[in-house]
Amino acid sequence: MTAFIILTAAEADHVRGPTTPPAALDPIERQGGAFILPVAVLADPAHAMHHDFLAQLPTSTLDDPAFPAAIDQE
């Protein structure tokens, strides 16, 4: 099961944007003000500038009942 890093809005703002060209991070907003990024970004050298920060944040998987739900798209 794919694991995700769970971020607050402030943490998402901290990492959002270009890293090593042409790469960028764009956390996905979920319900409750949470944002997610795949844990795989920690293994991508393009995002090395954020590895230490992101590695300290909580992670979760889609099968976790506490995983933040998607925002309803109408």
Side-chain angles (χ1 to χ4, degrees), residues 27-40:
I28 299 168
E29 187 173 9
R30 305 291 283 193
Q31 288 185 16
F35 289 78
I36 60 171
L37 284 171
V39 168

Side-chain angles (χ1 to χ4, degrees), residues 51-58:
H51 285 174
D52 290 341
F53 177 77
L54 292 170
Q56 296 182 32
L57 299 178

